[in-house]
Amino acid sequence: MGGDSLIIAPQWIGDAVMTEPLLRRLHARGERLTVGALPWVAPVYRAMPQVAEVIEFPFAHGGLQFKARRALAKRIEGQFDTAYVLPNSLKSALLPFLASIPKRVGYLGEARVGLLTHRLKNPKNKPPMVAFYSALSGEQDVAGDRPQLQMDAADVERALAELGLARGAYYVFAPGAEYGPAKRWPARHFSGLAAKLDRPVVLLGSGKEAGLCDEIAAPVNAVQAGKCLNFAGRTSLQQALCLIAASKSTISNDSGLMHVAAALGVPQVAIFGSSSPLHTPPLSDKASVLWLKTDPAYQPPLDCAPCFERVCPLGHTRCLNDITADRVLEKL
């Protein structure tokens, strides 16, 4: 096998983590891997030792941006034997086509038949995402694949020093979920949990989640000054990965940072609401999942879950409201 391969990465952090076993498989058979990724997911690929190089794409969200893609295609033409197109969109398949990469592998979708040379049919019953990506390798035994990330020890120590933290001396909360409120455990419950924990809490997320993190931190810090440190929007993703890697434990919703914690092998509690841990679980022996749908003691049963909606269509969000701080504490 071997040869030079270009990987077109997904645009979400969680999806990027779930592609790692595919890249490990390709590397194991001698392919040299370059990943093309948007800047906000690129650090995930730098935590994969099998990746030789990461190209940060200059593309924004939305639109084909044909000119930018064509310019980049010209620059990389002749450098790659194979391209693996991981997202299912038309625009993600454009670059390898425009760069005349001879073998272009991906799933059928969004009218891109002509852009790919090796097309996999989308399975009727979609398997868990990790296996879905790993199947692009053409190998069979993909059901047991689990993502693994490795942070450089010196990078971790540097991030801890910059942010004034010590390894294992804090918990991480990742209370956001890009998808919507039906995936977010309520702020008051995060506050209740923080108040009960035996060491400080570091709150991580994007700048958009700074307000949510303030809402969690304020009532706790009013009673125990400095107990919650709101770093939302104040770290790079690289620093956030380092802080998760060195945490005592990470508590999150079903989000990208949940998958990061699992791939780093950090003890964690993952809280599920409108989505399903059957489809995108944290794949780690150190992960505990809380989902009321599968709790026989929870009455009345959650017949509405998983609804996969952004906002609870029934207006009660029982799936998250009824998970208490004490329940999470027990799992920790």
Side-chain angles (χ1 to χ4, degrees), residues 103-116:
K103 183 180 176 186
R104 305 184 295 277
V105 183
Y107 282 101
L108 278 171
E110 254 196 37
R112 58 191 200 161
V113 172
L115 301 180
L116 300 169

Side-chain angles (χ1 to χ4, degrees), residues 150-161 167 238 242 245-246 264:
Q150 291 175 29
M151 299 309 294
D152 182 80
D155 288 346
V156 174
E157 293 310 322
R158 191 179 311 113
L160 291 172
R167 186 182 283 275
Q238 162 80 1
C242 290
L264 287 168

Side-chain angles (χ1 to χ4, degrees), residues 37-241:
L38 292 161
W40 56 88
V41 295
V44 174
Y45 289 98
R46 295 194 180 101
M48 299 182 192
Q50 68 271 43
V51 173
E53 199 182 335
V54 178
I55 299 172
E56 292 198 13
F57 285 160
F59 314 136
H61 264 309
L64 271 182
Q65 295 157 70
F66 191 80
K67 265 174 77 171
R69 285 176 206 278
R70 195 173 55 195
L72 182 55
K74 266 206 161 70
R75 233 175 55 222
I76 64 170
E77 198 165 346
Q79 291 180 27
F80 299 101
D81 309 291
T82 308
Y84 297 89
V85 182
L86 276 38
N88 259 356
S89 63
L90 173 73
K91 64 182 178 187
S92 58
L94 262 178
L95 181 71
F97 175 76
L98 294 169
S100 307
I101 297 172
K103 183 180 176 186
R104 305 184 295 277
V105 183
Y107 282 101
L108 278 171
E110 254 196 37
R112 58 191 200 161
V113 172
L115 301 180
L116 300 169
T117 61
H118 292 64
R119 301 176 288 274
L120 279 74
K121 277 201 174 108
N122 272 290
K124 268 200 176 63
N125 301 318
K126 202 168 181 185
M129 285 304 291
V130 173
F132 180 74
Y133 286 128
S134 288
L136 288 170
S137 66
E139 296 168 11
Q140 297 305 311
D141 54 335
V142 297
D145 281 6
R146 287 180 159 205
Q148 299 167 11
L149 297 178
Q150 291 175 29
M151 299 309 294
D152 182 80
D155 288 346
V156 174
E157 293 310 322
R158 191 179 311 113
L160 291 172
E162 285 166 357
L163 297 164
L165 296 165
R167 186 182 283 275
Y170 59 91
Y171 292 91
V172 162
F173 284 4
E178 189 81 26
Y179 187 70
K183 276 177 90 169
R184 289 187 212 125
W185 198 41
R188 66 181 186 282
H189 287 354
F190 271 112
S191 300
L193 177 62
K196 293 170 190 266
L197 290 173
D198 58 353
R199 48 196 86 189
V201 169
V202 169
L203 293 148
L204 294 179
S206 67
K208 281 186 282 191
E209 289 150 358
L212 167 66
C213 291
D214 269 338
E215 197 187 325
I216 292 165
V220 184
N221 289 340
V223 181
Q224 307 174 62
K227 179 81 182 276
C228 286
L229 307 167
N230 181 2
F231 286 164
R234 291 151 87 174
T235 66
S236 64
L237 178 57
Q238 162 80 1
Q239 287 175 313
L241 299 187

Side-chain angles (χ1 to χ4, degrees), residues 218-305:
V220 184
N221 289 340
V223 181
Q224 307 174 62
K227 179 81 182 276
C228 286
L229 307 167
N230 181 2
F231 286 164
R234 291 151 87 174
T235 66
S236 64
L237 178 57
Q238 162 80 1
Q239 287 175 313
L241 299 187
C242 290
L243 293 189
I244 290 171
S247 67
K248 163 114 174 112
S249 185
T250 292
I251 298 94
S252 72
N253 303 311
D254 171 18
S255 66
L257 294 184
M258 173 193 80
H259 293 291
V260 165
L264 287 168
V266 173
Q268 70 182 129
V269 179
I271 301 165
F272 280 76
S274 67
S275 58
S276 162
L278 304 176
H279 183 50
T280 52
L283 293 168
S284 163
D285 295 335
K286 293 186 178 172
S288 293
V289 169
L290 266 174
W291 195 37
L292 292 179
K293 170 77 173 181
T294 50
D295 180 354
Y298 180 71
Q299 295 298 328
L302 264 187
D303 297 330
C304 52

